[in-house]
PDB file of all heavy atoms in Angstrom:
ATOM      1  N   GLY A   2      99.397 115.884 129.919  1.00  0.00           N
ATOM      2  CA  GLY A   2      98.967 114.516 130.125  1.00  0.00           C
ATOM      3  C   GLY A   2     100.092 113.526 129.971  1.00  0.00           C
ATOM      4  O   GLY A   2     101.184 113.845 129.501  1.00  0.00           O
ATOM      5  N   PHE A   3      99.782 112.301 130.365  1.00  0.00           N
ATOM      6  CA  PHE A   3     100.696 111.175 130.254  1.00  0.00           C
ATOM      7  C   PHE A   3      99.929 110.036 129.597  1.00  0.00           C
ATOM      8  O   PHE A   3      98.759 109.812 129.915  1.00  0.00           O
ATOM      9  CB  PHE A   3     101.166 110.729 131.637  1.00  0.00           C
ATOM     10  CG  PHE A   3     101.951 111.769 132.383  1.00  0.00           C
ATOM     11  CD1 PHE A   3     101.308 112.751 133.117  1.00  0.00           C
ATOM     12  CD2 PHE A   3     103.338 111.762 132.353  1.00  0.00           C
ATOM     13  CE1 PHE A   3     102.020 113.708 133.809  1.00  0.00           C
ATOM     14  CE2 PHE A   3     104.062 112.725 133.031  1.00  0.00           C
ATOM     15  CZ  PHE A   3     103.404 113.695 133.770  1.00  0.00           C
ATOM     16  N   THR A   4     100.569 109.326 128.670  1.00  0.00           N
ATOM     17  CA  THR A   4      99.933 108.160 128.060  1.00  0.00           C
ATOM     18  C   THR A   4     100.890 106.984 128.127  1.00  0.00           C
ATOM     19  O   THR A   4     102.109 107.150 128.094  1.00  0.00           O
ATOM     20  CB  THR A   4      99.557 108.406 126.584  1.00  0.00           C
ATOM     21  OG1 THR A   4     100.748 108.602 125.815  1.00  0.00           O
ATOM     22  CG2 THR A   4      98.636 109.606 126.445  1.00  0.00           C
ATOM     23  N   ASP A   5     100.308 105.794 128.235  1.00  0.00           N
ATOM     24  CA  ASP A   5     101.133 104.596 128.302  1.00  0.00           C
ATOM     25  C   ASP A   5     100.322 103.387 127.872  1.00  0.00           C
ATOM     26  O   ASP A   5      99.091 103.425 127.875  1.00  0.00           O
ATOM     27  CB  ASP A   5     101.664 104.388 129.720  1.00  0.00           C
ATOM     28  CG  ASP A   5     102.763 103.347 129.773  1.00  0.00           C
ATOM     29  OD1 ASP A   5     103.612 103.322 128.862  1.00  0.00           O
ATOM     30  OD2 ASP A   5     102.767 102.529 130.697  1.00  0.00           O
ATOM     31  N   ALA A   6     101.020 102.331 127.528  1.00  0.00           N
ATOM     32  CA  ALA A   6     100.387 101.055 127.213  1.00  0.00           C
ATOM     33  C   ALA A   6     101.328  99.942 127.611  1.00  0.00           C
ATOM     34  O   ALA A   6     102.549 100.077 127.508  1.00  0.00           O
ATOM     35  CB  ALA A   6     100.065 100.961 125.725  1.00  0.00           C
ATOM     36  N   ASP A   7     100.751  98.852 128.103  1.00  0.00           N
ATOM     37  CA  ASP A   7     101.557  97.642 128.202  1.00  0.00           C
ATOM     38  C   ASP A   7     101.399  96.967 126.843  1.00  0.00           C
ATOM     39  O   ASP A   7     100.412  97.177 126.147  1.00  0.00           O
ATOM     40  CB  ASP A   7     101.100  96.742 129.351  1.00  0.00           C
ATOM     41  CG  ASP A   7      99.767  96.074 129.098  1.00  0.00           C
ATOM     42  OD1 ASP A   7      99.029  96.505 128.189  1.00  0.00           O
ATOM     43  OD2 ASP A   7      99.442  95.126 129.812  1.00  0.00           O
ATOM     44  N   TRP A   8     102.332  96.213 126.432  1.00  0.00           N
ATOM     45  CA  TRP A   8     102.244  95.614 125.105  1.00  0.00           C
ATOM     46  C   TRP A   8     101.842  94.160 125.246  1.00  0.00           C
ATOM     47  O   TRP A   8     102.525  93.386 125.918  1.00  0.00           O
ATOM     48  CB  TRP A   8     103.574  95.746 124.371  1.00  0.00           C
ATOM     49  CG  TRP A   8     103.577  95.088 123.032  1.00  0.00           C
ATOM     50  CD1 TRP A   8     102.701  95.292 122.015  1.00  0.00           C
ATOM     51  CD2 TRP A   8     104.497  94.106 122.574  1.00  0.00           C
ATOM     52  NE1 TRP A   8     103.015  94.503 120.953  1.00  0.00           N
ATOM     53  CE2 TRP A   8     104.124  93.759 121.272  1.00  0.00           C
ATOM     54  CE3 TRP A   8     105.601  93.487 123.131  1.00  0.00           C
ATOM     55  CZ2 TRP A   8     104.816  92.823 120.514  1.00  0.00           C
ATOM     56  CZ3 TRP A   8     106.287  92.568 122.381  1.00  0.00           C
ATOM     57  CH2 TRP A   8     105.904  92.248 121.086  1.00  0.00           C
ATOM     58  N   ALA A   9     100.704  93.809 124.644  1.00  0.00           N
ATOM     59  CA  ALA A   9     100.196  92.439 124.638  1.00  0.00           C
ATOM     60  C   ALA A   9     100.094  91.887 126.057  1.00  0.00           C
ATOM     61  O   ALA A   9     100.395  90.725 126.315  1.00  0.00           O
ATOM     62  CB  ALA A   9     101.067  91.547 123.760  1.00  0.00           C
ATOM     63  N   GLY A  10      99.650  92.719 126.975  1.00  0.00           N
ATOM     64  CA  GLY A  10      99.636  92.351 128.382  1.00  0.00           C
ATOM     65  C   GLY A  10      98.601  91.316 128.777  1.00  0.00           C
ATOM     66  O   GLY A  10      98.762  90.627 129.778  1.00  0.00           O
ATOM     67  N   SER A  11      97.525  91.193 128.014  1.00  0.00           N
ATOM     68  CA  SER A  11      96.494  90.214 128.354  1.00  0.00           C
ATOM     69  C   SER A  11      96.938  88.829 127.902  1.00  0.00           C
ATOM     70  O   SER A  11      97.173  88.600 126.706  1.00  0.00           O
ATOM     71  CB  SER A  11      95.169  90.575 127.681  1.00  0.00           C
ATOM     72  OG  SER A  11      94.233  89.529 127.872  1.00  0.00           O
ATOM     73  N   ILE A  12      97.036  87.912 128.837  1.00  0.00           N
ATOM     74  CA  ILE A  12      97.464  86.555 128.460  1.00  0.00           C
ATOM     75  C   ILE A  12      96.360  85.793 127.746  1.00  0.00           C
ATOM     76  O   ILE A  12      96.624  84.799 127.083  1.00  0.00           O
ATOM     77  CB  ILE A  12      97.969  85.761 129.685  1.00  0.00           C
ATOM     78  CG1 ILE A  12      96.875  85.662 130.740  1.00  0.00           C
ATOM     79  CG2 ILE A  12      99.229  86.377 130.241  1.00  0.00           C
ATOM     80  CD1 ILE A  12      97.231  84.737 131.898  1.00  0.00           C
ATOM     81  N   ASP A  13      95.123  86.289 127.840  1.00  0.00           N
ATOM     82  CA  ASP A  13      94.012  85.601 127.187  1.00  0.00           C
ATOM     83  C   ASP A  13      93.933  85.891 125.698  1.00  0.00           C
ATOM     84  O   ASP A  13      93.723  84.990 124.894  1.00  0.00           O
ATOM     85  CB  ASP A  13      92.685  85.984 127.851  1.00  0.00           C
ATOM     86  CG  ASP A  13      92.615  85.528 129.293  1.00  0.00           C
ATOM     87  OD1 ASP A  13      93.193  84.463 129.606  1.00  0.00           O
ATOM     88  OD2 ASP A  13      92.004  86.236 130.108  1.00  0.00           O
ATOM     89  N   ASP A  14      94.081  87.164 125.311  1.00  0.00           N
ATOM     90  CA  ASP A  14      93.927  87.511 123.895  1.00  0.00           C
ATOM     91  C   ASP A  14      95.063  88.384 123.356  1.00  0.00           C
ATOM     92  O   ASP A  14      95.018  88.835 122.227  1.00  0.00           O
ATOM     93  CB  ASP A  14      92.588  88.201 123.656  1.00  0.00           C
ATOM     94  CG  ASP A  14      92.414  89.465 124.483  1.00  0.00           C
ATOM     95  OD1 ASP A  14      93.392  89.929 125.105  1.00  0.00           O
ATOM     96  OD2 ASP A  14      91.285  89.993 124.511  1.00  0.00           O
ATOM     97  N   ARG A  15      96.073  88.649 124.172  1.00  0.00           N
ATOM     98  CA  ARG A  15      97.249  89.439 123.796  1.00  0.00           C
ATOM     99  C   ARG A  15      96.917  90.868 123.385  1.00  0.00           C
ATOM    100  O   ARG A  15      97.692  91.515 122.681  1.00  0.00           O
ATOM    101  CB  ARG A  15      98.068  88.751 122.698  1.00  0.00           C
ATOM    102  CG  ARG A  15      98.822  87.565 123.200  1.00  0.00           C
ATOM    103  CD  ARG A  15      99.729  87.983 124.315  1.00  0.00           C
ATOM    104  NE  ARG A  15     100.419  86.849 124.905  1.00  0.00           N
ATOM    105  CZ  ARG A  15     101.001  86.889 126.090  1.00  0.00           C
ATOM    106  NH1 ARG A  15     100.960  87.986 126.812  1.00  0.00           N
ATOM    107  NH2 ARG A  15     101.616  85.859 126.570  1.00  0.00           N
ATOM    108  N   LYS A  16      95.779  91.392 123.847  1.00  0.00           N
ATOM    109  CA  LYS A  16      95.505  92.807 123.647  1.00  0.00           C
ATOM    110  C   LYS A  16      96.249  93.599 124.711  1.00  0.00           C
ATOM    111  O   LYS A  16      96.527  93.100 125.799  1.00  0.00           O
ATOM    112  CB  LYS A  16      94.003  93.080 123.724  1.00  0.00           C
ATOM    113  CG  LYS A  16      93.252  92.518 122.529  1.00  0.00           C
ATOM    114  CD  LYS A  16      91.798  92.846 122.579  1.00  0.00           C
ATOM    115  CE  LYS A  16      91.093  92.277 121.359  1.00  0.00           C
ATOM    116  NZ  LYS A  16      89.635  92.459 121.457  1.00  0.00           N
ATOM    117  N   SER A  17      96.561  94.832 124.383  1.00  0.00           N
ATOM    118  CA  SER A  17      97.297  95.703 125.291  1.00  0.00           C
ATOM    119  C   SER A  17      96.330  96.521 126.132  1.00  0.00           C
ATOM    120  O   SER A  17      95.188  96.753 125.738  1.00  0.00           O
ATOM    121  CB  SER A  17      98.198  96.649 124.487  1.00  0.00           C
ATOM    122  OG  SER A  17      99.055  95.924 123.642  1.00  0.00           O
ATOM    123  N   THR A  18      96.804  96.976 127.270  1.00  0.00           N
ATOM    124  CA  THR A  18      96.049  97.903 128.097  1.00  0.00           C
ATOM    125  C   THR A  18      96.643  99.287 127.875  1.00  0.00           C
ATOM    126  O   THR A  18      97.846  99.479 128.026  1.00  0.00           O
ATOM    127  CB  THR A  18      96.142  97.526 129.587  1.00  0.00           C
ATOM    128  OG1 THR A  18      95.585  96.230 129.761  1.00  0.00           O
ATOM    129  CG2 THR A  18      95.394  98.527 130.451  1.00  0.00           C
ATOM    130  N   GLY A  19      95.801 100.216 127.503  1.00  0.00           N
ATOM    131  CA  GLY A  19      96.235 101.587 127.286  1.00  0.00           C
ATOM    132  C   GLY A  19      95.693 102.486 128.386  1.00  0.00           C
ATOM    133  O   GLY A  19      94.648 102.198 128.980  1.00  0.00           O
ATOM    134  N   SER A  20      96.405 103.555 128.664  1.00  0.00           N
ATOM    135  CA  SER A  20      95.932 104.483 129.688  1.00  0.00           C
ATOM    136  C   SER A  20      96.377 105.896 129.368  1.00  0.00           C
ATOM    137  O   SER A  20      97.321 106.113 128.624  1.00  0.00           O
ATOM    138  CB  SER A  20      96.451 104.084 131.071  1.00  0.00           C
ATOM    139  OG  SER A  20      97.839 104.292 131.158  1.00  0.00           O
ATOM    140  N   TYR A  21      95.626 106.837 129.944  1.00  0.00           N
ATOM    141  CA  TYR A  21      96.048 108.228 129.924  1.00  0.00           C
ATOM    142  C   TYR A  21      95.689 108.857 131.246  1.00  0.00           C
ATOM    143  O   TYR A  21      94.835 108.367 131.988  1.00  0.00           O
ATOM    144  CB  TYR A  21      95.441 109.011 128.749  1.00  0.00           C
ATOM    145  CG  TYR A  21      93.938 109.107 128.733  1.00  0.00           C
ATOM    146  CD1 TYR A  21      93.240 109.976 129.573  1.00  0.00           C
ATOM    147  CD2 TYR A  21      93.202 108.327 127.842  1.00  0.00           C
ATOM    148  CE1 TYR A  21      91.863 110.062 129.540  1.00  0.00           C
ATOM    149  CE2 TYR A  21      91.821 108.412 127.796  1.00  0.00           C
ATOM    150  CZ  TYR A  21      91.159 109.281 128.652  1.00  0.00           C
ATOM    151  OH  TYR A  21      89.789 109.354 128.612  1.00  0.00           O
ATOM    152  N   LEU A  22      96.382 109.940 131.541  1.00  0.00           N
ATOM    153  CA  LEU A  22      96.179 110.703 132.765  1.00  0.00           C
ATOM    154  C   LEU A  22      96.377 112.171 132.388  1.00  0.00           C
ATOM    155  O   LEU A  22      97.403 112.523 131.814  1.00  0.00           O
ATOM    156  CB  LEU A  22      97.220 110.263 133.798  1.00  0.00           C
ATOM    157  CG  LEU A  22      97.388 111.074 135.060  1.00  0.00           C
ATOM    158  CD1 LEU A  22      96.121 111.009 135.904  1.00  0.00           C
ATOM    159  CD2 LEU A  22      98.565 110.534 135.858  1.00  0.00           C
ATOM    160  N   VAL A  23      95.384 113.013 132.676  1.00  0.00           N
ATOM    161  CA  VAL A  23      95.453 114.423 132.283  1.00  0.00           C
ATOM    162  C   VAL A  23      95.409 115.296 133.531  1.00  0.00           C
ATOM    163  O   VAL A  23      94.567 115.098 134.409  1.00  0.00           O
ATOM    164  CB  VAL A  23      94.295 114.805 131.335  1.00  0.00           C
ATOM    165  CG1 VAL A  23      94.419 116.265 130.895  1.00  0.00           C
ATOM    166  CG2 VAL A  23      94.260 113.884 130.123  1.00  0.00           C
ATOM    167  N   PHE A  24      96.320 116.241 133.585  1.00  0.00           N
ATOM    168  CA  PHE A  24      96.403 117.201 134.686  1.00  0.00           C
ATOM    169  C   PHE A  24      95.949 118.573 134.206  1.00  0.00           C
ATOM    170  O   PHE A  24      96.227 118.962 133.072  1.00  0.00           O
ATOM    171  CB  PHE A  24      97.847 117.351 135.164  1.00  0.00           C
ATOM    172  CG  PHE A  24      98.346 116.239 136.028  1.00  0.00           C
ATOM    173  CD1 PHE A  24      98.743 115.028 135.472  1.00  0.00           C
ATOM    174  CD2 PHE A  24      98.444 116.403 137.399  1.00  0.00           C
ATOM    175  CE1 PHE A  24      99.220 114.016 136.268  1.00  0.00           C
ATOM    176  CE2 PHE A  24      98.921 115.388 138.210  1.00  0.00           C
ATOM    177  CZ  PHE A  24      99.305 114.190 137.639  1.00  0.00           C
ATOM    178  N   PHE A  25      95.293 119.299 135.091  1.00  0.00           N
ATOM    179  CA  PHE A  25      95.013 120.716 134.910  1.00  0.00           C
ATOM    180  C   PHE A  25      95.833 121.412 135.976  1.00  0.00           C
ATOM    181  O   PHE A  25      95.513 121.342 137.163  1.00  0.00           O
ATOM    182  CB  PHE A  25      93.515 121.003 135.082  1.00  0.00           C
ATOM    183  CG  PHE A  25      93.148 122.446 134.914  1.00  0.00           C
ATOM    184  CD1 PHE A  25      93.350 123.098 133.706  1.00  0.00           C
ATOM    185  CD2 PHE A  25      92.586 123.157 135.958  1.00  0.00           C
ATOM    186  CE1 PHE A  25      93.000 124.424 133.548  1.00  0.00           C
ATOM    187  CE2 PHE A  25      92.228 124.490 135.806  1.00  0.00           C
ATOM    188  CZ  PHE A  25      92.439 125.119 134.600  1.00  0.00           C
ATOM    189  N   GLY A  26      96.929 122.015 135.551  1.00  0.00           N
ATOM    190  CA  GLY A  26      97.891 122.529 136.528  1.00  0.00           C
ATOM    191  C   GLY A  26      98.525 121.347 137.244  1.00  0.00           C
ATOM    192  O   GLY A  26      99.078 120.457 136.624  1.00  0.00           O
ATOM    193  N   GLN A  27      98.401 121.320 138.572  1.00  0.00           N
ATOM    194  CA  GLN A  27      98.996 120.236 139.376  1.00  0.00           C
ATOM    195  C   GLN A  27      97.997 119.150 139.746  1.00  0.00           C
ATOM    196  O   GLN A  27      98.346 118.201 140.412  1.00  0.00           O
ATOM    197  CB  GLN A  27      99.572 120.838 140.654  1.00  0.00           C
ATOM    198  CG  GLN A  27     100.621 121.888 140.409  1.00  0.00           C
ATOM    199  CD  GLN A  27     101.983 121.404 140.835  1.00  0.00           C
ATOM    200  OE1 GLN A  27     102.118 120.489 141.594  1.00  0.00           O
ATOM    201  NE2 GLN A  27     103.009 122.043 140.318  1.00  0.00           N
ATOM    202  N   THR A  28      96.746 119.295 139.307  1.00  0.00           N
ATOM    203  CA  THR A  28      95.701 118.384 139.739  1.00  0.00           C
ATOM    204  C   THR A  28      95.263 117.460 138.607  1.00  0.00           C
ATOM    205  O   THR A  28      94.903 117.926 137.527  1.00  0.00           O
ATOM    206  CB  THR A  28      94.472 119.189 140.230  1.00  0.00           C
ATOM    207  OG1 THR A  28      94.894 120.062 141.281  1.00  0.00           O
ATOM    208  CG2 THR A  28      93.391 118.277 140.748  1.00  0.00           C
ATOM    209  N   PRO A  29      95.292 116.141 138.852  1.00  0.00           N
ATOM    210  CA  PRO A  29      94.754 115.227 137.838  1.00  0.00           C
ATOM    211  C   PRO A  29      93.237 115.406 137.728  1.00  0.00           C
ATOM    212  O   PRO A  29      92.545 115.447 138.742  1.00  0.00           O
ATOM    213  CB  PRO A  29      95.105 113.830 138.360  1.00  0.00           C
ATOM    214  CG  PRO A  29      95.607 113.998 139.738  1.00  0.00           C
ATOM    215  CD  PRO A  29      95.813 115.441 140.015  1.00  0.00           C
ATOM    216  N   ILE A  30      92.744 115.562 136.500  1.00  0.00           N
ATOM    217  CA  ILE A  30      91.305 115.783 136.319  1.00  0.00           C
ATOM    218  C   ILE A  30      90.638 114.714 135.457  1.00  0.00           C
ATOM    219  O   ILE A  30      89.419 114.622 135.431  1.00  0.00           O
ATOM    220  CB  ILE A  30      91.011 117.176 135.725  1.00  0.00           C
ATOM    221  CG1 ILE A  30      91.678 117.356 134.367  1.00  0.00           C
ATOM    222  CG2 ILE A  30      91.413 118.269 136.696  1.00  0.00           C
ATOM    223  CD1 ILE A  30      91.226 118.591 133.613  1.00  0.00           C
ATOM    224  N   SER A  31      91.421 113.915 134.748  1.00  0.00           N
ATOM    225  CA  SER A  31      90.833 112.889 133.903  1.00  0.00           C
ATOM    226  C   SER A  31      91.828 111.749 133.738  1.00  0.00           C
ATOM    227  O   SER A  31      93.019 111.987 133.539  1.00  0.00           O
ATOM    228  CB  SER A  31      90.481 113.483 132.533  1.00  0.00           C
ATOM    229  OG  SER A  31      89.885 112.510 131.706  1.00  0.00           O
ATOM    230  N   TRP A  32      91.326 110.525 133.791  1.00  0.00           N
ATOM    231  CA  TRP A  32      92.187 109.372 133.602  1.00  0.00           C
ATOM    232  C   TRP A  32      91.354 108.206 133.114  1.00  0.00           C
ATOM    233  O   TRP A  32      90.146 108.144 133.318  1.00  0.00           O
ATOM    234  CB  TRP A  32      92.924 108.998 134.889  1.00  0.00           C
ATOM    235  CG  TRP A  32      92.019 108.762 136.064  1.00  0.00           C
ATOM    236  CD1 TRP A  32      91.445 107.594 136.446  1.00  0.00           C
ATOM    237  CD2 TRP A  32      91.588 109.743 137.000  1.00  0.00           C
ATOM    238  NE1 TRP A  32      90.674 107.786 137.563  1.00  0.00           N
ATOM    239  CE2 TRP A  32      90.748 109.100 137.921  1.00  0.00           C
ATOM    240  CE3 TRP A  32      91.826 111.118 137.143  1.00  0.00           C
ATOM    241  CZ2 TRP A  32      90.144 109.766 138.978  1.00  0.00           C
ATOM    242  CZ3 TRP A  32      91.221 111.779 138.198  1.00  0.00           C
ATOM    243  CH2 TRP A  32      90.400 111.100 139.106  1.00  0.00           C
ATOM    244  N   LYS A  33      92.019 107.283 132.443  1.00  0.00           N
ATOM    245  CA  LYS A  33      91.348 106.096 131.933  1.00  0.00           C
ATOM    246  C   LYS A  33      92.372 105.006 131.733  1.00  0.00           C
ATOM    247  O   LYS A  33      93.500 105.254 131.329  1.00  0.00           O
ATOM    248  CB  LYS A  33      90.663 106.402 130.600  1.00  0.00           C
ATOM    249  CG  LYS A  33      89.939 105.200 130.023  1.00  0.00           C
ATOM    250  CD  LYS A  33      89.324 105.498 128.684  1.00  0.00           C
ATOM    251  CE  LYS A  33      88.661 104.241 128.128  1.00  0.00           C
ATOM    252  NZ  LYS A  33      88.139 104.455 126.790  1.00  0.00           N
ATOM    253  N   SER A  34      91.950 103.806 131.998  1.00  0.00           N
ATOM    254  CA  SER A  34      92.755 102.628 131.726  1.00  0.00           C
ATOM    255  C   SER A  34      91.824 101.560 131.202  1.00  0.00           C
ATOM    256  O   SER A  34      90.767 101.314 131.789  1.00  0.00           O
ATOM    257  CB  SER A  34      93.446 102.147 133.008  1.00  0.00           C
ATOM    258  OG  SER A  34      94.177 100.969 132.750  1.00  0.00           O
ATOM    259  N   GLY A  35      92.180 100.947 130.086  1.00  0.00           N
ATOM    260  CA  GLY A  35      91.315  99.903 129.541  1.00  0.00           C
ATOM    261  C   GLY A  35      92.003  99.118 128.449  1.00  0.00           C
ATOM    262  O   GLY A  35      92.982  99.564 127.843  1.00  0.00           O
ATOM    263  N   LYS A  36      91.459  97.942 128.218  1.00  0.00           N
ATOM    264  CA  LYS A  36      92.000  97.084 127.178  1.00  0.00           C
ATOM    265  C   LYS A  36      91.704  97.697 125.820  1.00  0.00           C
ATOM    266  O   LYS A  36      90.602  98.188 125.566  1.00  0.00           O
ATOM    267  CB  LYS A  36      91.360  95.701 127.271  1.00  0.00           C
ATOM    268  CG  LYS A  36      92.059  94.667 126.405  1.00  0.00           C
ATOM    269  CD  LYS A  36      91.351  93.332 126.425  1.00  0.00           C
ATOM    270  CE  LYS A  36      91.671  92.582 127.677  1.00  0.00           C
ATOM    271  NZ  LYS A  36      91.188  91.179 127.591  1.00  0.00           N
ATOM    272  N   GLN A  37      92.706  97.698 124.952  1.00  0.00           N
ATOM    273  CA  GLN A  37      92.529  98.238 123.609  1.00  0.00           C
ATOM    274  C   GLN A  37      91.684  97.286 122.769  1.00  0.00           C
ATOM    275  O   GLN A  37      91.650  96.078 123.015  1.00  0.00           O
ATOM    276  CB  GLN A  37      93.889  98.494 122.963  1.00  0.00           C
ATOM    277  CG  GLN A  37      94.655  99.595 123.676  1.00  0.00           C
ATOM    278  CD  GLN A  37      96.042  99.844 123.104  1.00  0.00           C
ATOM    279  OE1 GLN A  37      96.589  99.041 122.352  1.00  0.00           O
ATOM    280  NE2 GLN A  37      96.637 100.970 123.491  1.00  0.00           N
ATOM    281  N   ARG A  38      90.987  97.831 121.772  1.00  0.00           N
ATOM    282  CA  ARG A  38      90.039  97.039 120.988  1.00  0.00           C
ATOM    283  C   ARG A  38      90.703  96.058 120.039  1.00  0.00           C
ATOM    284  O   ARG A  38      90.103  95.052 119.669  1.00  0.00           O
ATOM    285  CB  ARG A  38      89.122  97.969 120.198  1.00  0.00           C
ATOM    286  CG  ARG A  38      88.147  98.732 121.080  1.00  0.00           C
ATOM    287  CD  ARG A  38      87.202  99.597 120.260  1.00  0.00           C
ATOM    288  NE  ARG A  38      87.875 100.658 119.533  1.00  0.00           N
ATOM    289  CZ  ARG A  38      88.151 101.848 120.038  1.00  0.00           C
ATOM    290  NH1 ARG A  38      87.820 102.138 121.268  1.00  0.00           N
ATOM    291  NH2 ARG A  38      88.759 102.753 119.314  1.00  0.00           N
TER     292      ARG A  38
END
């Protein structure tokens, strides 16, 4: 998998957006992107 976050990316409340992407072999099977709590 791969994980990443922008830091304080929301100009409204300075929360970051976090994401992950998971591969099974060569195929991505799960991903998510959302504002952190």
Side-chain angles (χ1 to χ4, degrees):
F3 297 84
T4 65
D5 193 40
D7 71 344
W8 177 54
S11 172
I12 59 172
D13 296 327
D14 58 10
R15 287 302 176 198
K16 290 183 179 174
S17 304
T18 299
S20 69
Y21 62 77
L22 169 65
V23 182
F24 283 78
F25 180 63
Q27 301 249 341
T28 303
I30 60 169
S31 181
W32 55 90
K33 180 183 178 184
S34 177
K36 191 184 281 190
Q37 294 178 345
R38 290 183 296 274

